[in-house]
Amino acid sequence: MAKVTKIQAQKRKGRYNVFLDGQYAFPVAETTLIEFRLMNGVELTDDQIKEIKDRENVNKAYGDAVNYLSYQLRTEKEIKDYLYKKEYHRDAVDDVIARLEKLHYLDDGNYAKSFINTQLRTTANGPKIIEQKLHQKGVPDTIIQDKLFEIDEDTLIENATEFAKKQARKQKRASFSQMLTKIKQSLYQKGYNNEIIEEALKSLELEPDEDDELEKLRKLVQKVEHRYDKPEKLIKYLMTKGFHFDEIKKVLSEDSDD
């Protein structure tokens, strides 16, 4: 048995140092002090001391978790990783997780919904990229799929269309064919499926302009023709850039006429 001989308030509000048999033993929060009715003269067994320390450890872990949550929403995995990094024992971590979930401070479903809405509002990311990010944050796959299913398709088409417009402007020097290919690739890399990509392209109402295509081709020929010693090699290169054979022959014939 050990006797509480002194309880000293720390400078930090709500924290106390407990002395047993005249020697400093451990710190506690005010809630722990009240819960275990700690006061001068109280005698404690070794088991009681261990229980108090364990409870204090859980309370400290809980305080750290709440502070971590105060900045932004977190997933269960993020909270666990954070607490393990601070070297809390698994039992303490599990206790904290259960307490946070009971108080609805921790809810992977709400987190996923909020995360998806933010992504759709502030980024050009499509469902596949959002899904990857949620997996990285430790959200269970069943929750991810349920929340992704709730996304309004019109929102996806609108976001994909806006992103496609920006990509089209970046490809203004490319052939029409290459521009379409680049836009599709960019949308796919952003996590959109083929159906959404096709709808986005349809919304843009892109149409090739023959005069514009020929002018782009002329500029490209002027830029690269010195690299090729044979016309066949030049033609092959120009076709990889999305220009049609007839267009290429027409532009090259203009050069030869000159």
Side-chain angles (χ1 to χ4, degrees):
M1 299 285 284
K3 182 182 289 186
V4 178
T5 54
K6 183 180 180 182
I7 297 178
Q8 180 184 60
Q10 296 181 0
K11 291 181 180 180
R12 186 177 165 194
K13 187 177 179 180
R15 300 288 300 173
Y16 298 85
N17 294 327
V18 176
F19 291 75
L20 300 178
D21 297 332
Q23 294 185 333
Y24 170 75
F26 47 79
V28 295
E30 188 172 20
T31 53
T32 307
L33 199 71
I34 296 171
E35 181 181 354
F36 289 90
R37 300 178 182 179
L38 298 176
M39 62 186 72
N40 287 338
V42 171
E43 292 187 336
L44 301 172
T45 65
D46 289 344
D47 287 342
Q48 287 175 318
I49 293 172
K50 182 180 183 304
E51 184 181 359
I52 291 170
K53 288 182 177 180
D54 287 345
R55 181 58 56 86
E56 181 59 24
N57 191 51
V58 170
N59 287 339
K60 188 173 183 300
Y62 178 76
D64 284 342
V66 170
N67 182 61
Y68 188 52
L69 277 166
S70 68
Y71 299 102
Q72 65 181 65
L73 291 176
R74 310 283 183 180
T75 65
E76 180 178 322
K77 180 181 182 299
E78 286 178 320
I79 293 292
K80 283 183 175 180
D81 289 346
Y82 175 74
L83 293 177
Y84 284 137
K85 188 175 181 179
K86 294 180 81 68
E87 299 184 349
Y88 286 109
H89 191 270
R90 180 176 177 178
D91 290 342
V93 173
D94 289 345
D95 194 313
V96 169
I97 294 297
R99 194 187 302 185
L100 292 172
E101 289 179 337
K102 185 176 181 180
L103 294 171
H104 303 292
Y105 290 164
L106 196 60
D107 186 322
D108 281 353
N110 285 340
Y111 178 92
K113 183 176 182 179
S114 176
F115 183 86
I116 289 171
N117 288 338
T118 300
Q119 287 283 301
L120 294 176
R121 190 176 65 254
T122 63
T123 77
N125 291 333
K128 290 180 183 178
I129 294 298
I130 295 174
E131 180 180 358
Q132 290 173 9
K133 289 179 177 292
L134 286 171
H135 275 303
Q136 290 169 0
K137 291 178 177 295
V139 179
D141 187 63
T142 52
I143 292 177
I144 295 174
Q145 299 309 321
D146 285 345
K147 298 306 176 183
L148 288 176
F149 184 75
E150 295 174 3
I151 297 177
D152 180 52
E153 188 174 280
D154 289 341
T155 299
L156 291 179
I157 294 173
E158 182 180 340
N159 287 358
T161 301
E162 285 302 311
F163 180 72
K165 285 180 182 177
K166 294 178 182 178
Q167 297 306 303
R169 288 195 289 269
K170 290 180 180 180
Q171 300 296 326
K172 59 183 179 180
R173 295 183 180 179
S175 66
F176 184 79
S177 175
Q178 189 177 50
M179 179 185 68
L180 286 181
T181 299
K182 291 288 187 180
I183 293 174
K184 288 181 180 180
Q185 288 175 344
S186 296
L187 286 168
Y188 184 77
Q189 289 169 354
K190 275 294 182 180
Y192 294 98
N193 62 29
N194 290 331
E195 183 180 348
I196 297 297
I197 291 173
E198 291 303 322
E199 288 296 324
L201 291 175
K202 190 185 298 183
S203 298
L204 291 183
E205 298 181 345
L206 297 172
E207 293 291 341
D209 182 300
E210 184 177 348
D211 292 337
D212 187 48
E213 285 288 284
L214 290 174
E215 186 58 31
K216 289 177 182 179
L217 180 54
R218 291 186 187 101
K219 289 181 179 180
L220 183 59
V221 169
Q222 291 173 2
K223 182 179 179 181
V224 303
E225 61 181 340
H226 67 279
R227 303 177 191 171
Y228 300 93
D229 55 355
K230 294 182 179 180
E232 293 81 4
K233 292 181 180 180
L234 175 59
I235 291 171
K236 185 176 180 181
Y237 169 79
L238 295 172
M239 291 184 70
T240 65
K241 293 300 180 180
F243 293 102
H244 297 297
F245 181 76
D246 290 343
E247 295 172 334
I248 296 170
K249 292 294 287 183
K250 181 176 181 179
V251 170
L252 293 181
S253 65
E254 292 174 353
D255 282 355
S256 62
D257 291 341
D258 294 342

